[in-house]
């Protein structure tokens, strides 16, 4: 294990690790400049009446008389602001809410999952209120200013939980800027709004190096906030704004170059974080155009074209949903429409229009409303039709057979993996997720269930000897990053689309998976060897009502519509239909049927899943 830790540290990068260690030490010793930050809360108002024509576009229904936290937990609202310093589900107030943010621990038991507290303070409501004000609702404009003033009174500069995370501060900047675009108030912003933006940039800039060392969406979010907020203040005549703008632009370019692969894959190996990064860059480009700033580099646009195409290929055009792959914390940066949380089409349409000059989807819908709210013209042509694709830089293969789509996950870990999902299969039929990923559930649940959701039990793959394919070294870190022994190209055999691959894990267990996707069925051959006691094959079944029948070395399952047959060339020690979990929304889980088939010797599974039309 010691050697695994050393190798993992090397993979993470000694520079990144040293930045984190030095940052934490300076914070602990109170030597970091951020420990000496101070400021004062600006006075209202922050937004004035819009001078733009009254809009007839549909507005977001959230943040009127209710809000659905993480797009799931419905909370009633009144005209009064919410309690910014309480858990909105329990109503329990936070402890230490008025101490400097850097003195608050990352995972305090009294706080629970801090993301519950942060959710309302992301200021998504600023955008919703701006939309209603743009329709001529002056009362909502008053409410917007009242809530902003109340937030500042309850969250004095740099005190308490809501100043703890610079990414959260960055999301607030982006939402304030989005509201300014909707109301047409970025060129003549009130002094209170300017001071509010300045307060946030002073919080973000000093800890940017820490965010960058994570090689994830924290760096992109914070760079975007500095670029947007800095250029905003510079546009309004503030001399300090230009330095923030240049710093933000520099790191937007750098993060795109280093975190987005040539094939469009993003460093976090997550569909939802991929959406967040695209929304971040998309709004940065919208903002750049609004202020007529110098264009981003050709290389940045090229990478974002690839990233847009990546997500376009994974999203169902029928439902807008996509595989629940990788970490998913419920983030949705640009909520300008009433599209459900799991509808990715507004993001895809916006990024394809901005970076590819293409339309992903035909007709009108929430995806066209997104463009209109941001004054973005549709693309000049229609995007290419869907085909099977390999995104090898990130380790994804997308197989398509008419209405059926299969996603295979395989290891290509340039960056740290967040889930043990090696050789996971996600299967979709006509927009329906037939074989699904477990999702994430929570980063800080009590009891801790991360072993299930991020581990092998949460995926359609094989688990060896009751362990993950990689050892978990900490809450967010796996060691022993895997590589494939081989991965084939996608090929056609008769009427089937095929792919195969093989890996050997850190304890020398071997898994070879062969896939054949046709119009009527999916066939998967899993060859397993090198384990000590047992290998368990799992298939996570989307719908309930499954029944199981065992016949020697063969297992038959049916739900009255679809059927699955699993055979083994060695004796089956256990075959059981168990209750599992899936989490489509952060902090929420629901039961599903999972078939587990266990063998105790090297052998081969043959799975055939047949669906009805």
């Amino acid at each position: 294990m010691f050697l695994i830790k050393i190798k993992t540290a090397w993979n993470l990068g000694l520079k990144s690790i040293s930045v984190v260690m030095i940052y934490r030490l300076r914070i602990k010793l109170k030597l970091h400049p951020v420990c000496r930050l101070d400021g004062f809360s600006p006075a209202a108002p922050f937004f004035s009446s819009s001078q733009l024509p009254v809009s007839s576009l549909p507005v977001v229904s959230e943040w009127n008389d209710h809000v659905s936290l993480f797009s799931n937990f419905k909370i009633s609202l009144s005209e009064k602001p919410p309690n910014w310093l309480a858990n909105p589900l329990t109503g329990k107030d936070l402890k230490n809410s008025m101490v400097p943010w850097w003195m608050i621990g990352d995972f305090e038991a009294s706080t629970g999952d801090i993301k519950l507290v942060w959710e309302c303070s992301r200021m998504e409501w600023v955008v919703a209120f701006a939309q209603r004000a743009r329709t001529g609702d002056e009362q909502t404009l008053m409410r917007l200013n009242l809530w902003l003033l109340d937030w500042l009174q309850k969250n004095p500069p740099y005190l308490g939980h809501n100043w703890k995370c610079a990414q959260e501060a960055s999301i607030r900047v982006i939402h304030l800027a989005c509201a300014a675009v909707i109301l047409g108030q970025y060129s003549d912003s009130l002094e209170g709004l300017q001071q509010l933006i300045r307060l946030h940039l002073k919080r973000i800039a000093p800890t940017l190096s820490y965010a960058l060392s994570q090689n994830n969406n924290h760096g992109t979010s914070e760079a975007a906030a500095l670029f947007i907020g800095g250029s905003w203040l510079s546009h309004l005549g503030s001399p300090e704004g230009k330095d923030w703008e240049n710093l933000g632009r520099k790191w937007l370019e750098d993060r795109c170059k280093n975190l987005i692969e040539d094939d469009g894959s993003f460093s976090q190996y997550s569909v939802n974080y991929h959406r967040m990064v695209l929304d971040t860059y998309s709004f940065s480009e919208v903002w750049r155009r609004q202020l007529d700033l110098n264009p981003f580099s050709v290389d940045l646009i090229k990478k974002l074209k690839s990233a847009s195409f990546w997500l376009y290929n994974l999203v169902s055009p029928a439902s807008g949903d996509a595989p629940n792959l990788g970490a998913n914390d419920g983030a949705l940066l640009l909520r300008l429409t009433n599209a459900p949380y799991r509808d990715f089409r507004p993001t895809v349409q916006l990024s394809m229009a901005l970076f590819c000059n293409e339309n992903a989807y035909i007709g009108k819908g929430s995806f066209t409303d997104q463009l209109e709210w941001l004054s973005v013209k549709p693309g000049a042509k229609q995007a290419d039709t869907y085909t099977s694709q390999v995104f090898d830089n990130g380790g994804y293969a997308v197989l398509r057979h008419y209405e059926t789509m299969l996603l295979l996950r395989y290891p290509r870990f340039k960056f740290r993996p967040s889930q043990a999902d090696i050789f996971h299969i996600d299967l979709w039929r006509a927009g329906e997720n037939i074989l699904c990923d477990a999702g994430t559930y929570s980063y800080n649940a009590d009891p801790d269930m991360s072993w299930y959701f991020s581990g092998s039990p949460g995926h359609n793959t094989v688990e060896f000897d009751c362990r993950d394919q990689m050892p978990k070294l900490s809450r967010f870190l796996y060691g022993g990053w895997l590589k494939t022994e081989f991965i084939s190209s996608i090929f056609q055999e008769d009427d089937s689309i095929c792919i195969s691959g093989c890996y050997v894990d850190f304890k020398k267990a071997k898994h070879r998976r062969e896939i054949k996707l046709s119009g009527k069925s999916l066939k998967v051959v899993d060859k397993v060897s090198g384990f000590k006691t047992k290998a368990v094959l799992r298939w996570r079944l989307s719908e309930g009502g499954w029944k199981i029948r065992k016949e020697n070395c063969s297992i038959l399952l049916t739900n009255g519509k679809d059927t699955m047959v699993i055979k083994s060339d060695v004796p089956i020690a256990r075959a059981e239909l168990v209750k599992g979990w899936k989490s489509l929304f952060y902090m929420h889980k629901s039961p599903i049927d999972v078939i587990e088939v266990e063998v105790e010797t090297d052998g081969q599974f043959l799975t055939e899943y047949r669906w009805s039309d």
Side-chain angles (χ1 to χ4, degrees):
M1 188 62 74
F2 176 74
L3 291 177
I4 287 177
K5 290 181 179 180
I6 294 297
K7 188 173 182 180
T8 303
W10 181 263
N11 288 335
L12 289 171
L14 299 181
K15 181 180 178 181
S16 294
I17 292 174
S18 64
V19 168
V20 171
M21 292 177 66
I22 292 170
Y23 166 80
R24 289 176 176 169
L25 180 62
R26 294 177 74 192
I27 290 287
K28 186 175 182 178
L29 297 176
K30 305 179 184 179
L31 297 176
H32 198 288
V34 80
C35 300
R36 297 185 291 277
L37 274 182
D38 60 11
F40 63 90
S41 295
F46 305 94
F47 289 96
S48 58
S49 297
S50 176
Q51 301 304 308
L52 296 176
V54 171
S55 173
S56 59
L57 287 170
V59 301
V60 172
S61 60
E62 298 270 309
W63 299 106
N64 189 12
D65 57 0
H66 76 279
V67 60
S68 299
L69 299 180
F70 304 123
S71 306
N72 182 62
F73 298 103
K74 191 171 182 178
I75 306 295
S76 297
L77 296 173
S78 66
E79 287 295 316
K80 295 180 180 179
N83 185 345
W84 311 110
L85 301 172
N87 182 318
L89 298 184
T90 65
K92 186 178 179 180
D93 288 335
L94 298 176
K95 296 180 180 179
N96 302 322
S97 60
M98 286 296 117
V99 302
W101 66 264
W102 47 269
M103 296 177 67
I104 300 171
D106 289 338
F107 297 100
E108 294 185 349
S110 61
T111 303
D113 194 324
I114 197 171
K115 285 179 59 60
L116 280 167
V117 179
W118 287 344
E119 192 71 1
C120 288
S121 288
R122 286 189 160 189
M123 294 190 180
E124 182 185 282
W125 43 270
V126 171
V127 178
F129 289 178
Q131 286 183 319
R132 286 188 210 119
R134 180 69 189 280
T135 65
D137 185 348
E138 292 291 327
Q139 287 296 116
T140 300
L141 186 66
M142 294 173 58
R143 191 183 187 193
L144 169 55
N145 284 311
L146 173 66
W147 281 33
L148 282 171
L149 181 61
D150 186 77
W151 189 91
L152 283 162
Q153 290 172 346
K154 303 299 186 343
N155 297 276
Y158 319 128
L159 300 180
H161 297 71
N162 286 319
W163 287 103
K164 181 168 177 55
C165 179
Q167 185 183 38
E168 297 299 311
S170 300
I171 291 170
R172 290 195 286 271
V173 170
I174 292 170
H175 284 152
L176 289 164
C178 187
V181 168
I182 291 170
L183 295 172
Q185 295 182 26
Y186 49 86
S187 291
D188 56 352
S189 307
L190 297 179
E191 182 63 26
L193 181 55
Q194 295 181 50
Q195 291 295 335
L196 181 55
I197 295 299
R198 187 174 287 107
L199 273 180
H200 279 74
L201 300 191
K202 286 174 65 178
R203 164 64 188 91
I204 297 163
T207 57
L208 179 62
S209 61
Y210 175 76
L212 297 172
S213 72
Q214 306 302 303
N215 286 328
N216 62 16
N217 60 47
H218 283 246
T220 56
S221 301
E222 294 176 34
L226 289 168
F227 169 73
I228 292 165
S231 59
W232 193 355
L233 295 178
S234 178
H235 181 72
L236 294 168
S238 173
E240 62 188 333
K242 197 66 180 177
D243 288 340
W244 281 324
E245 175 190 350
N246 291 338
L247 183 64
R249 181 187 284 268
K250 170 188 173 181
W251 288 107
L252 278 174
E253 293 277 357
D254 177 272
R255 296 295 80 188
C256 188
K257 176 182 178 181
N258 290 295
L259 302 187
I260 298 177
E261 302 283 4
D262 289 341
D263 66 4
S265 304
F266 179 57
S267 66
Q268 287 185 275
Y269 311 117
S270 158
V271 172
N272 200 56
Y273 283 155
H274 196 105
R275 168 166 65 179
M276 184 175 184
V277 165
L278 274 181
D279 280 345
T280 301
Y281 276 98
S282 290
F283 187 75
S284 297
E285 172 64 9
V286 168
W287 183 263
R288 185 200 67 75
R289 294 183 184 187
Q290 291 285 342
L291 269 62
D292 196 24
L293 303 172
N294 290 333
F296 291 116
S297 71
V298 172
D299 289 340
L300 179 143
I301 299 301
K302 183 178 179 181
K303 284 287 187 81
L304 293 174
K305 284 182 179 179
S306 297
S308 301
F309 184 73
W310 186 98
L311 190 58
Y312 168 66
N313 271 275
L314 266 67
V315 171
S316 164
S319 66
D321 204 350
N324 199 15
L325 191 74
N328 182 354
D329 69 350
L332 178 53
L333 184 63
L334 294 182
R335 191 189 293 273
L336 294 166
T337 75
N338 287 310
Y341 166 74
R342 296 210 55 85
D343 187 345
F344 291 75
R345 287 174 296 184
T347 290
V348 175
Q349 189 83 336
L350 177 61
S351 67
M352 294 283 278
L354 288 169
F355 304 121
C356 309
N357 196 22
E358 294 179 349
N359 294 315
Y361 311 109
I362 301 172
K364 288 188 67 66
S366 59
F367 44 84
T368 51
D369 294 340
Q370 184 100 330
L371 268 62
E372 291 189 56
W373 272 116
L374 296 173
S375 301
V376 174
K377 294 181 180 179
K381 61 178 182 177
Q382 190 64 31
D384 292 339
T385 55
Y386 298 102
T387 58
S388 296
Q389 300 281 340
V390 173
F391 300 98
D392 190 61
N393 295 138
Y396 311 94
V398 179
L399 279 61
R400 292 190 174 275
H401 198 293
Y402 298 103
E403 289 188 303
T404 307
M405 186 271 281
L406 179 146
L407 173 66
L408 172 69
R409 180 79 177 101
Y410 61 91
R412 283 285 190 267
F413 295 130
K414 179 179 176 182
F415 303 94
R416 60 180 176 179
S418 65
Q419 297 202 348
D421 57 0
I422 312 306
F423 280 3
H424 167 76
I425 286 175
D426 234 72
L427 181 64
W428 293 70
R429 173 75 176 164
E432 179 188 351
N433 196 185
I434 297 175
L435 298 174
C436 64
D437 191 300
T440 298
Y441 182 50
S442 172
Y443 293 153
N444 189 25
D446 186 17
D448 180 19
M449 294 192 68
S450 61
W451 64 270
Y452 178 86
F453 284 93
S454 65
S456 297
H459 300 94
N460 296 314
T461 188
V462 174
E463 178 188 50
F464 295 113
D465 298 327
C466 297
R467 56 175 169 78
D468 290 333
Q469 305 123 328
M470 300 174 288
K472 200 163 190 179
L473 304 182
S474 68
R475 185 187 295 265
F476 298 115
L477 180 62
Y478 282 98
W481 299 0
L482 292 181
K483 297 179 180 179
T484 53
E485 278 202 341
F486 82 90
I487 188 78
S488 76
S489 59
I490 295 174
F491 61 96
Q492 187 149 354
E493 187 177 286
D494 299 325
D495 189 39
S496 298
I497 308 296
C498 309
I499 193 169
S500 62
C502 179
Y503 74 86
V504 178
D505 76 5
F506 73 110
K507 295 227 173 173
K508 307 305 180 185
K510 186 174 184 178
H511 182 190
R512 179 185 175 113
R513 174 158 271 187
E514 301 170 359
I515 298 168
K516 290 185 178 183
L517 178 68
S518 70
K520 293 288 187 180
S521 69
L522 166 67
K523 294 180 180 179
V524 180
V525 175
D526 291 297
K527 298 177 181 179
V528 295
S529 61
F531 53 92
K532 290 184 177 180
T533 59
K534 62 181 177 179
V536 179
L537 171 67
R538 287 187 181 87
W539 293 109
R540 304 172 46 78
L541 307 165
S542 61
E543 294 184 354
W546 288 87
K547 304 295 182 183
I548 183 171
R549 189 171 76 244
K550 308 172 188 178
E551 296 178 356
N552 298 322
C553 289
S554 180
I555 309 299
L556 173 66
L557 298 105
T558 182
N559 63 357
K561 184 177 67 172
D562 297 352
T563 60
M564 176 181 280
V565 177
I566 305 174
K567 298 179 181 180
S568 173
D569 65 353
V570 297
I572 294 175
R574 180 177 65 91
E576 191 175 2
L577 197 60
V578 303
K579 288 299 179 184
W581 299 100
K582 70 175 178 180
S583 175
L584 295 176
F585 305 94
Y586 193 72
M587 291 291 295
H588 177 266
K589 63 184 189 294
S590 55
I592 63 167
D593 288 333
V594 180
I595 178 63
E596 297 183 346
V597 182
E598 179 182 317
V599 296
E600 296 175 344
T601 58
D602 296 357
Q604 174 178 297
F605 299 106
L606 170 61
T607 302
E608 182 174 7
Y609 189 113
R610 300 189 67 86
W611 49 81
S612 58
D613 290 328

